[in-house]
Amino acid sequence: MSEEHGRVGFATLNGTRFSYEIAGTGQPVVFLHDGITDKSMWSEQFASFAATYQAVRYDLRGFGETLLVEGTYAHYQDLHALLDYLHIESAHLVGCSMGGCTILDFALAYPQRVRSLTVVASTPNGYEYHIEDASAQTLLEEHVAAVRAGNIKRAADLETRYWLVGVQRRVDHLPPALIQRVEAMNRVAMANKVAFFNRVSEQELQPPAVERLEDIRVPTLIIVGDLDDRNILAGSHYMTTHIQRARKATISGTAHFPNMEQPAEFNRLVLAFLRAQV
């Protein structure tokens, strides 16, 4: 091990340097963020969970303080390397959106390393998306145009508008501080995506998770916000019916980030689920 790890640290793994934070003692609970934020999206969870568990959160490759480097990678392999670095044999995994995809892949590739899964606002890799809502299609087209024009701020803010606010609400339905917080995280992620466009390639698990959900045997909690994208709602139902030990919880009045919009309810649901696994 070339670097010391403590409460806050960096670990060089699979060719890049990962930023992580660890606190508390007990069974490990590892938090993986979604595809537009970073590890700080779990700030409303981290201290609460560290009171009972060993809480770990980290910036995935290309997000927050973790660099994106040229070449191929797999998020679930990065997770495996981080757990090895931290000497964590098995953990409860909590993942939002892209993070949810990652922990599903990890559970299929390394089932012995997983105690439970909490999959938030996600679908399994390989799940087919359909954009049917006119407002969603318009936002998507504007986002693509901003990316092509190299307007990182606008591209990130449009993406935040779609996922955080959703197409069923207006921007003024959410606290400005929350919108600004997610926008700031997403601008870092978007800048990395634009800078490394066509210079990186993600290797997803094959066959894809959507075809193998029946092989997941650990207790699984599926959490969804009722105002989220319709594909996420449908995908959450699909996972609930195809993962043997899965159950679903809906947090009303939230979209893609129920843990940030209603942290008390989210924490209550997940902590109760984890206590039931002891």
Side-chain angles (χ1 to χ4, degrees):
M1 184 183 301
S2 60
E3 298 172 341
E4 294 296 321
H5 66 266
R7 182 174 178 81
V8 177
F10 291 90
T12 300
L13 310 166
N14 297 340
T16 195
R17 191 177 78 152
F18 287 81
S19 172
Y20 69 89
E21 184 176 0
I22 183 169
T25 59
Q27 294 183 4
V29 180
V30 183
F31 295 89
L32 285 78
H33 61 79
D34 84 307
I36 69 171
T37 60
D38 59 40
K39 65 180 180 294
S40 66
M41 74 163 281
W42 301 111
S43 293
E44 290 84 356
Q45 283 69 54
F46 199 68
S48 296
F49 282 73
T52 309
Y53 298 93
Q54 182 185 61
V56 179
R57 58 178 174 173
Y58 72 102
D59 291 332
L60 277 72
R61 184 182 296 254
F63 298 85
E65 297 178 294
T66 297
L67 301 177
L68 191 61
V69 296
E70 290 188 31
T72 59
Y73 69 93
H75 285 308
Y76 74 94
Q77 296 290 17
D78 289 341
L79 173 58
H80 182 262
L82 180 66
L83 294 185
D84 283 352
Y85 177 84
L86 296 174
H87 303 292
I88 294 174
E89 292 298 323
S90 62
H92 301 283
L93 302 178
V94 182
C96 179
S97 195
M98 179 186 72
C101 295
T102 301
I103 65 175
L104 289 168
D105 283 357
F106 184 86
L108 290 164
Y110 303 103
Q112 73 280 5
R113 305 293 296 268
V114 182
R115 293 173 181 259
S116 73
L117 298 173
T118 299
V119 182
V120 185
S122 187
T123 63
N125 278 324
Y127 187 83
E128 187 174 354
Y129 272 60
H130 300 279
I131 304 298
E132 300 174 350
D133 185 277
S135 298
Q137 184 63 41
T138 298
L139 276 173
L140 176 62
E141 291 171 358
E142 292 177 356
H143 169 72
V144 171
V147 171
R148 289 175 176 169
N151 189 337
I152 292 170
K153 180 182 182 301
R154 178 161 174 76
D157 294 355
L158 284 167
E159 197 171 35
T160 299
R161 164 73 174 83
Y162 183 83
W163 290 113
L164 176 62
V165 181
V167 297
Q168 301 182 57
R169 298 186 288 188
R170 298 193 310 270
V171 173
D172 60 6
H173 287 168
L174 288 176
L178 177 58
I179 296 173
Q180 293 164 9
R181 177 180 164 195
V182 175
E183 285 176 346
M185 289 188 277
N186 196 18
R187 288 169 193 167
V188 174
M190 186 59 60
N192 281 328
K193 291 173 186 175
V194 171
F196 284 85
F197 185 70
N198 284 337
R199 295 164 59 196
V200 295
S201 139
E202 181 179 358
Q203 294 182 328
E204 295 178 353
L205 190 68
Q206 294 298 328
V210 71
E211 300 176 10
R212 303 167 59 185
L213 295 179
E214 291 82 358
D215 294 335
I216 295 176
R217 304 300 173 87
V218 296
T220 300
L221 176 62
I222 311 293
I223 297 180
V224 66
D226 63 340
L227 301 179
D228 206 344
D229 178 88
R230 293 177 182 177
N231 293 279
I232 300 295
L233 299 178
S236 296
H237 176 74
Y238 184 87
M239 288 187 290
T240 305
T241 58
H242 284 77
I243 297 175
Q244 295 185 32
R245 301 176 66 186
R247 66 180 182 86
K248 185 175 73 171
T250 300
I251 300 183
S252 299
T254 69
H256 205 57
F257 299 98
N259 67 300
M260 299 176 75
E261 287 199 63
Q262 294 192 25
E265 176 63 7
F266 181 90
N267 294 357
R268 183 191 69 79
L269 285 170
V270 181
L271 286 168
F273 170 70
L274 295 180
R275 284 194 296 269
Q277 311 317 316
V278 176

